[in-house]
Amino acid sequence: MSDIKIACPKCEWEPSATDLWVCTCDHRWNTFDTAARCPNCNKQWKDTQCLACHKYAPHLDWYRGLDEALRKELAAIILREKVNID
Ligand SMILES: [Zn+2]
Ligand SMILES: [Zn+2]
């Protein structure tokens, strides 16, 4: 997935590997490593908050240059895990 760019849909901020998100369980991790699922409590985040502009956007909207097949695959992963958790 090296040719896929990740950027905030609202302000174009590009997260790096060292940026961390905080879950409601207080765990900190890079949300793009796990398709927005907390590795500690398994919460699946549908929206991802930008660390620059602090706005929320659907996790999938952050991925640029994602082809349709890959986008559907990622959506299926997020939806399936969300169903399991809720
Ligand atoms: Zn968590
Ligand atoms: Zn932003």
Side-chain angles (χ1 to χ4, degrees), residues 41-74:
C41 72
N42 283 335
K43 179 180 167 70
Q44 177 68 56
W45 292 80
K46 194 179 58 171
D47 295 328
T48 293
Q49 187 181 25
C50 177
L51 300 185
C53 71
H54 303 294
K55 289 177 182 154
Y56 283 87
H59 189 75
L60 272 178
D61 287 1
W62 285 72
Y63 295 86
R64 312 294 175 83
L66 207 58
D67 68 38
E68 198 54 31
L70 210 55
R71 189 181 169 87
K72 279 181 183 158
E73 204 174 302
L74 199 54

Short mmCIF file of all heavy atoms in Angstrom, two decimals, residues 41-74:
data_model
loop_
_atom_site.label_atom_id
_atom_site.label_comp_id
_atom_site.label_asym_id
_atom_site.label_seq_id
_atom_site.Cartn_x
_atom_site.Cartn_y
_atom_site.Cartn_z
N CYS A 41 -8.84 -2.45 22.99
CA CYS A 41 -10.20 -2.83 23.35
C CYS A 41 -11.01 -3.28 22.13
O CYS A 41 -12.19 -3.62 22.26
CB CYS A 41 -10.92 -1.68 24.05
SG CYS A 41 -11.34 -0.31 22.95
N ASN A 42 -10.40 -3.25 20.95
CA ASN A 42 -11.05 -3.69 19.70
C ASN A 42 -12.19 -2.80 19.25
O ASN A 42 -12.99 -3.21 18.42
CB ASN A 42 -11.54 -5.14 19.81
CG ASN A 42 -10.39 -6.11 19.68
OD1 ASN A 42 -9.37 -5.78 19.08
ND2 ASN A 42 -10.54 -7.29 20.23
N LYS A 43 -12.26 -1.61 19.77
CA LYS A 43 -13.29 -0.68 19.27
C LYS A 43 -12.97 -0.29 17.84
O LYS A 43 -11.84 0.08 17.52
CB LYS A 43 -13.33 0.57 20.15
CG LYS A 43 -14.36 1.62 19.70
CD LYS A 43 -14.31 2.82 20.64
CE LYS A 43 -15.06 4.02 20.07
NZ LYS A 43 -16.52 3.84 20.05
N GLN A 44 -13.96 -0.40 16.96
CA GLN A 44 -13.78 0.00 15.56
C GLN A 44 -14.28 1.42 15.39
O GLN A 44 -15.46 1.70 15.60
CB GLN A 44 -14.56 -0.95 14.63
CG GLN A 44 -14.48 -0.57 13.17
CD GLN A 44 -13.08 -0.75 12.60
OE1 GLN A 44 -12.51 -1.83 12.66
NE2 GLN A 44 -12.52 0.32 12.06
N TRP A 45 -13.36 2.31 15.01
CA TRP A 45 -13.73 3.70 14.81
C TRP A 45 -14.16 3.91 13.36
O TRP A 45 -13.40 3.67 12.44
CB TRP A 45 -12.55 4.60 15.16
CG TRP A 45 -12.25 4.59 16.62
CD1 TRP A 45 -11.54 3.63 17.30
CD2 TRP A 45 -12.67 5.53 17.59
NE1 TRP A 45 -11.50 3.94 18.64
CE2 TRP A 45 -12.18 5.11 18.84
CE3 TRP A 45 -13.42 6.73 17.52
CZ2 TRP A 45 -12.42 5.82 20.02
CZ3 TRP A 45 -13.66 7.44 18.69
CH2 TRP A 45 -13.16 6.97 19.93
N LYS A 46 -15.38 4.37 13.17
CA LYS A 46 -15.88 4.62 11.82
C LYS A 46 -15.33 5.97 11.32
O LYS A 46 -14.98 6.12 10.17
CB LYS A 46 -17.41 4.65 11.85
CG LYS A 46 -18.06 4.57 10.49
CD LYS A 46 -19.57 4.58 10.63
CE LYS A 46 -20.01 5.82 11.36
NZ LYS A 46 -21.44 6.09 11.39
N ASP A 47 -15.24 6.92 12.22
CA ASP A 47 -14.69 8.23 11.88
C ASP A 47 -13.34 8.43 12.55
O ASP A 47 -13.09 7.90 13.62
CB ASP A 47 -15.63 9.35 12.35
CG ASP A 47 -16.97 9.31 11.62
OD1 ASP A 47 -16.98 8.92 10.44
OD2 ASP A 47 -17.97 9.65 12.24
N THR A 48 -12.49 9.18 11.88
CA THR A 48 -11.16 9.46 12.41
C THR A 48 -11.00 10.97 12.58
O THR A 48 -11.31 11.73 11.66
CB THR A 48 -10.09 8.91 11.46
OG1 THR A 48 -10.16 7.49 11.46
CG2 THR A 48 -8.69 9.34 11.89
N GLN A 49 -10.53 11.39 13.74
CA GLN A 49 -10.34 12.81 13.99
C GLN A 49 -8.99 13.27 13.49
O GLN A 49 -7.97 12.59 13.68
CB GLN A 49 -10.46 13.12 15.48
CG GLN A 49 -10.44 14.63 15.76
CD GLN A 49 -10.52 14.95 17.24
OE1 GLN A 49 -10.15 14.16 18.08
NE2 GLN A 49 -11.01 16.14 17.54
N CYS A 50 -8.98 14.41 12.84
CA CYS A 50 -7.72 14.99 12.36
C CYS A 50 -6.98 15.62 13.54
O CYS A 50 -7.57 16.33 14.35
CB CYS A 50 -8.03 16.05 11.31
SG CYS A 50 -6.56 16.90 10.72
N LEU A 51 -5.67 15.34 13.64
CA LEU A 51 -4.89 15.90 14.74
C LEU A 51 -4.50 17.35 14.45
O LEU A 51 -4.02 18.05 15.33
CB LEU A 51 -3.63 15.06 14.97
CG LEU A 51 -3.87 13.59 15.35
CD1 LEU A 51 -2.55 12.90 15.66
CD2 LEU A 51 -4.82 13.45 16.53
N ALA A 52 -4.73 17.81 13.23
CA ALA A 52 -4.39 19.20 12.86
C ALA A 52 -5.61 20.12 12.96
O ALA A 52 -5.56 21.15 13.62
CB ALA A 52 -3.81 19.24 11.46
N CYS A 53 -6.73 19.75 12.30
CA CYS A 53 -7.91 20.63 12.30
C CYS A 53 -8.98 20.15 13.28
O CYS A 53 -9.98 20.82 13.47
CB CYS A 53 -8.48 20.77 10.89
SG CYS A 53 -9.31 19.28 10.25
N HIS A 54 -8.79 18.97 13.89
CA HIS A 54 -9.67 18.40 14.92
C HIS A 54 -11.07 18.07 14.42
O HIS A 54 -11.98 17.89 15.22
CB HIS A 54 -9.73 19.32 16.15
CG HIS A 54 -8.38 19.59 16.74
ND1 HIS A 54 -7.63 18.61 17.34
CD2 HIS A 54 -7.63 20.72 16.75
CE1 HIS A 54 -6.47 19.15 17.73
NE2 HIS A 54 -6.44 20.41 17.38
N LYS A 55 -11.24 18.01 13.10
CA LYS A 55 -12.55 17.61 12.58
C LYS A 55 -12.56 16.10 12.34
O LYS A 55 -11.52 15.51 12.07
CB LYS A 55 -12.83 18.35 11.27
CG LYS A 55 -13.12 19.82 11.50
CD LYS A 55 -13.32 20.54 10.19
CE LYS A 55 -13.57 22.02 10.43
NZ LYS A 55 -13.17 22.83 9.29
N TYR A 56 -13.76 15.53 12.43
CA TYR A 56 -13.91 14.10 12.17
C TYR A 56 -14.29 13.86 10.72
O TYR A 56 -15.08 14.61 10.15
CB TYR A 56 -15.00 13.51 13.07
CG TYR A 56 -14.55 13.28 14.50
CD1 TYR A 56 -14.65 14.30 15.44
CD2 TYR A 56 -14.02 12.06 14.87
CE1 TYR A 56 -14.23 14.09 16.76
CE2 TYR A 56 -13.61 11.83 16.18
CZ TYR A 56 -13.71 12.85 17.12
OH TYR A 56 -13.30 12.65 18.40
N ALA A 57 -13.75 12.80 10.14
CA ALA A 57 -14.12 12.40 8.79
C ALA A 57 -14.15 10.88 8.76
O ALA A 57 -13.41 10.23 9.51
CB ALA A 57 -13.12 12.94 7.78
N PRO A 58 -14.99 10.29 7.89
CA PRO A 58 -15.01 8.82 7.79
C PRO A 58 -13.60 8.29 7.51
O PRO A 58 -12.87 8.86 6.69
CB PRO A 58 -15.95 8.56 6.61
CG PRO A 58 -16.82 9.78 6.55
CD PRO A 58 -15.95 10.93 7.00
N HIS A 59 -13.22 7.22 8.21
CA HIS A 59 -11.86 6.70 8.09
C HIS A 59 -11.47 6.44 6.63
O HIS A 59 -10.36 6.75 6.21
CB HIS A 59 -11.73 5.42 8.91
CG HIS A 59 -10.32 4.93 9.02
ND1 HIS A 59 -9.38 5.53 9.83
CD2 HIS A 59 -9.66 3.93 8.39
CE1 HIS A 59 -8.22 4.91 9.70
NE2 HIS A 59 -8.36 3.93 8.83
N LEU A 60 -12.41 5.90 5.86
CA LEU A 60 -12.11 5.57 4.47
C LEU A 60 -11.77 6.80 3.63
O LEU A 60 -11.01 6.71 2.66
CB LEU A 60 -13.30 4.85 3.83
CG LEU A 60 -13.35 3.34 3.99
CD1 LEU A 60 -14.61 2.80 3.34
CD2 LEU A 60 -12.12 2.69 3.36
N ASP A 61 -12.33 7.95 3.98
CA ASP A 61 -12.11 9.16 3.20
C ASP A 61 -10.68 9.68 3.30
O ASP A 61 -10.26 10.54 2.54
CB ASP A 61 -13.08 10.27 3.63
CG ASP A 61 -14.50 9.99 3.16
OD1 ASP A 61 -14.72 8.95 2.52
OD2 ASP A 61 -15.39 10.80 3.45
N TRP A 62 -9.93 9.16 4.28
CA TRP A 62 -8.54 9.58 4.46
C TRP A 62 -7.62 8.97 3.41
O TRP A 62 -6.52 9.47 3.17
CB TRP A 62 -8.05 9.18 5.84
CG TRP A 62 -8.59 10.05 6.94
CD1 TRP A 62 -9.86 10.09 7.42
CD2 TRP A 62 -7.85 11.01 7.71
NE1 TRP A 62 -9.97 11.01 8.43
CE2 TRP A 62 -8.75 11.58 8.64
CE3 TRP A 62 -6.52 11.42 7.71
CZ2 TRP A 62 -8.35 12.56 9.55
CZ3 TRP A 62 -6.11 12.39 8.62
CH2 TRP A 62 -7.02 12.94 9.52
N TYR A 63 -8.02 7.85 2.83
CA TYR A 63 -7.14 7.14 1.90
C TYR A 63 -7.30 7.72 0.50
O TYR A 63 -8.40 7.76 -0.05
CB TYR A 63 -7.47 5.64 1.88
CG TYR A 63 -7.18 4.96 3.19
CD1 TYR A 63 -8.12 4.95 4.21
CD2 TYR A 63 -5.95 4.34 3.41
CE1 TYR A 63 -7.86 4.33 5.42
CE2 TYR A 63 -5.68 3.72 4.61
CZ TYR A 63 -6.64 3.72 5.62
OH TYR A 63 -6.38 3.12 6.82
N ARG A 64 -6.19 8.15 -0.09
CA ARG A 64 -6.21 8.69 -1.45
C ARG A 64 -5.52 7.71 -2.38
O ARG A 64 -4.55 7.06 -2.00
CB ARG A 64 -5.46 10.03 -1.51
CG ARG A 64 -5.86 11.00 -0.44
CD ARG A 64 -7.31 11.45 -0.61
NE ARG A 64 -7.73 12.30 0.50
CZ ARG A 64 -7.47 13.62 0.55
NH1 ARG A 64 -6.82 14.18 -0.42
NH2 ARG A 64 -7.86 14.33 1.59
N GLY A 65 -6.02 7.65 -3.59
CA GLY A 65 -5.40 6.77 -4.56
C GLY A 65 -5.75 5.32 -4.34
O GLY A 65 -5.10 4.41 -4.84
N LEU A 66 -6.81 5.11 -3.54
CA LEU A 66 -7.27 3.76 -3.27
C LEU A 66 -8.12 3.31 -4.46
O LEU A 66 -9.07 4.00 -4.83
CB LEU A 66 -8.13 3.82 -2.01
CG LEU A 66 -8.26 2.61 -1.11
CD1 LEU A 66 -6.92 2.14 -0.61
CD2 LEU A 66 -9.17 2.94 0.06
N ASP A 67 -7.79 2.17 -5.06
CA ASP A 67 -8.65 1.75 -6.16
C ASP A 67 -9.94 1.14 -5.60
O ASP A 67 -10.04 0.83 -4.41
CB ASP A 67 -7.93 0.83 -7.16
CG ASP A 67 -7.59 -0.53 -6.57
OD1 ASP A 67 -8.39 -1.07 -5.80
OD2 ASP A 67 -6.51 -1.05 -6.90
N GLU A 68 -10.91 0.99 -6.44
CA GLU A 68 -12.26 0.62 -5.99
C GLU A 68 -12.28 -0.72 -5.26
O GLU A 68 -12.95 -0.88 -4.24
CB GLU A 68 -13.22 0.60 -7.20
CG GLU A 68 -14.68 0.65 -6.82
CD GLU A 68 -15.06 1.83 -5.92
OE1 GLU A 68 -14.41 2.90 -6.03
OE2 GLU A 68 -15.96 1.68 -5.09
N ALA A 69 -11.51 -1.69 -5.76
CA ALA A 69 -11.48 -3.02 -5.15
C ALA A 69 -10.94 -2.94 -3.72
O ALA A 69 -11.48 -3.53 -2.79
CB ALA A 69 -10.64 -3.97 -6.00
N LEU A 70 -9.85 -2.19 -3.57
CA LEU A 70 -9.21 -2.06 -2.27
C LEU A 70 -10.11 -1.30 -1.29
O LEU A 70 -10.19 -1.61 -0.11
CB LEU A 70 -7.87 -1.34 -2.45
CG LEU A 70 -6.77 -1.70 -1.46
CD1 LEU A 70 -6.51 -3.19 -1.45
CD2 LEU A 70 -5.49 -0.95 -1.84
N ARG A 71 -10.78 -0.29 -1.83
CA ARG A 71 -11.69 0.51 -1.01
C ARG A 71 -12.83 -0.35 -0.46
O ARG A 71 -13.19 -0.26 0.71
CB ARG A 71 -12.24 1.67 -1.84
CG ARG A 71 -13.02 2.66 -1.02
CD ARG A 71 -13.57 3.78 -1.89
NE ARG A 71 -14.52 4.58 -1.13
CZ ARG A 71 -14.17 5.63 -0.37
NH1 ARG A 71 -12.92 6.00 -0.32
NH2 ARG A 71 -15.07 6.28 0.31
N LYS A 72 -13.38 -1.20 -1.32
CA LYS A 72 -14.47 -2.09 -0.89
C LYS A 72 -13.97 -3.10 0.15
O LYS A 72 -14.67 -3.42 1.11
CB LYS A 72 -15.05 -2.83 -2.10
CG LYS A 72 -16.05 -1.99 -2.87
CD LYS A 72 -16.64 -2.75 -4.04
CE LYS A 72 -17.58 -1.86 -4.84
NZ LYS A 72 -17.75 -2.35 -6.22
N GLU A 73 -12.75 -3.57 -0.07
CA GLU A 73 -12.16 -4.53 0.86
C GLU A 73 -12.00 -3.91 2.25
O GLU A 73 -12.34 -4.51 3.27
CB GLU A 73 -10.81 -4.96 0.31
CG GLU A 73 -10.33 -6.32 0.80
CD GLU A 73 -9.05 -6.72 0.09
OE1 GLU A 73 -9.06 -6.80 -1.15
OE2 GLU A 73 -8.05 -6.91 0.79
N LEU A 74 -11.50 -2.69 2.25
CA LEU A 74 -11.28 -1.97 3.50
C LEU A 74 -12.62 -1.67 4.18
O LEU A 74 -12.77 -1.81 5.39
CB LEU A 74 -10.51 -0.67 3.21
CG LEU A 74 -9.80 0.00 4.35
CD1 LEU A 74 -8.85 -0.96 5.06
CD2 LEU A 74 -9.02 1.20 3.83
#
